[in-house]
């Protein structure tokens, strides 16, 4: 079955280190998204991509970057990890436009702790 | 900007109906979604409704949409302990691909 996988599922890192969270989907979806989930805020969009070589900033993009060199992967990089980036990170993908009812599928999440 | 609001907590007795409410601000939203998140897991799409509909029913789930008041609700009939989870309301921003989520409503089901 097609799926979307994230790795690592759990990571502890130190302040100032560079961290990369991987996201891989096998549906051949054009659209991929990274969200972070924090108590009281729901899910907030970090970055998104509508296709290879396309990347866009979401509402909380500061301190994060993404690259899209192929259809299947959208890695999320924290350039210099900060304690405020301790969160649960969700990758998602979809084909077509959410506004047309196309389903957005979510990965299982990556728990990141910055100490 | 767009905003989606939900109450944070709901407690119901097993067998009763649960109603989770949501308000949104983007009048151009064409689809509105309900996602379920169980502890330690990702988000699972429960159902969605197109903006030209007032109601959608899917087994124990009923979605009601009041476009005038920009109010969305999810009713779960005969609530079971397995329904305990966080429920997120989301709108598709301006008809595009991005989903804007509410903060989530934690549903607790007790005997």
């Amino acid at each position: 079955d097609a799926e979307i996988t994230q790795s690592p599922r759990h990571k502890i890192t130190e302040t100032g280190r560079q961290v990369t969270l991987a996201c891989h989907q096998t549906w051949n979806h054009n659209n991929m998204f990274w969200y972070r989930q924090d108590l009281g805020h729901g899910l907030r969009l970090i970055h998104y991509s509508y296709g290879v070589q396309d990347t866009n900033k979401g509402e909380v993009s500061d301190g994060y970057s993404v690259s899209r060199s192929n259809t299947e992967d959208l890695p999320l990089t924290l350039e210099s990890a900060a304690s405020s980036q301790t969160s649960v990170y969700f990758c998602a993908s979809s084909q077509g436009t959410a506004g047309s009812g196309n389903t957005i599928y979510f990965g299982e999440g990556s728990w990141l702790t910055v100490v | 900007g767009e905003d989606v609001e939900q109450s944070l907590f709901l407690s119901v007795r097993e067998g009763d109906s649960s109603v989770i409410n949501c308000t949104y601000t983007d009048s151009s939203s064409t689809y509105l979604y309900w996602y379920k998140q169980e502890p330690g897991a990702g988000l699972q799409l429960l159902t969605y409704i197109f903006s030209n509909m007032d109601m959608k029913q899917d087994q124990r789930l009923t979605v009601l949409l009041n476009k005038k008041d920009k109010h969305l609700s999810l009713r779960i009939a005969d609530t079971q302990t397995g329904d305990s989870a966080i429920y997120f309301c989301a709108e598709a921003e301006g008809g595009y691909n991005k989903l804007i989520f509410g903060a989530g409503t934690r549903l607790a089901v007790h005997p």
Side-chain angles (χ1 to χ4, degrees):
Chain A
D1 284 342
E3 58 181 6
I4 181 168
T5 55
Q6 296 182 227
S7 63
R9 293 293 314 280
H10 300 270
K11 185 171 181 67
I12 301 174
T13 191
E14 294 178 339
T15 302
R17 289 195 181 269
Q18 184 182 78
V19 176
T20 296
L21 305 179
C23 177
H24 180 79
Q25 51 96 3
T26 58
W27 284 296
N28 210 35
H29 284 166
N30 286 330
N31 311 319
M32 296 185 73
F33 310 85
W34 273 105
Y35 287 87
R36 60 177 287 175
Q37 182 181 18
D38 304 288
L39 263 178
H41 289 282
L43 277 78
R44 292 180 291 175
L45 185 62
I46 305 171
H47 281 287
Y48 58 101
S49 168
Y50 290 153
V52 176
Q53 301 302 331
D54 176 72
T55 61
N56 305 278
K57 294 181 179 180
E59 62 178 308
V60 290
S61 61
D62 287 349
Y64 303 95
S65 64
V66 293
S67 60
R68 189 86 181 274
S69 58
N70 58 52
T71 302
E72 297 79 19
D73 299 289
L74 187 71
L76 177 71
T77 297
L78 286 68
E79 304 294 343
S80 176
S83 57
S84 60
Q85 294 177 307
T86 293
S87 187
V88 184
Y89 291 86
F90 287 98
C91 181
S93 73
S94 72
Q95 184 69 7
T97 305
S100 300
N102 289 292
T103 300
I104 293 182
Y105 296 92
F106 283 81
E108 294 294 300
S110 293
W111 272 253
L112 178 67
T113 302
V114 183
V115 297
Chain B
E2 293 77 14
D3 199 13
V4 178
E5 303 265 349
Q6 300 178 240
S7 53
L8 294 182
F9 189 74
L10 177 65
S11 177
V12 299
R13 190 186 304 274
E14 191 174 11
D16 287 351
S17 292
S18 308
V19 179
I20 302 171
N21 294 300
C22 170
T23 58
Y24 62 97
T25 58
D26 187 358
S27 58
S28 66
S29 291
T30 51
Y31 281 87
L32 296 135
Y33 299 80
W34 284 104
Y35 280 83
K36 176 183 180 182
Q37 183 184 33
E38 295 181 351
L43 276 72
Q44 170 196 354
L45 178 65
L46 278 180
T47 187
Y48 63 88
I49 187 167
F50 185 48
S51 60
N52 70 350
M53 298 169 65
D54 297 323
M55 183 182 85
K56 181 179 179 181
Q57 186 148 4
D58 184 1
Q59 299 183 339
R60 292 190 297 121
L61 305 178
T62 303
V63 178
L64 295 178
L65 176 60
N66 181 327
K67 290 183 289 294
K68 174 174 171 291
D69 295 336
K70 298 191 183 70
H71 183 267
L72 183 73
S73 68
L74 174 70
R75 178 177 181 269
I76 305 173
D78 187 25
T79 312
Q80 303 298 308
T81 54
D83 295 322
S84 294
I86 301 175
Y87 291 82
F88 290 94
C89 169
E91 61 174 348
E93 182 190 64
Y96 296 114
N97 284 296
K98 294 181 287 180
L99 291 186
I100 306 299
F101 286 85
T105 299
R106 183 178 296 275
L107 175 64
V109 183
H110 56 88

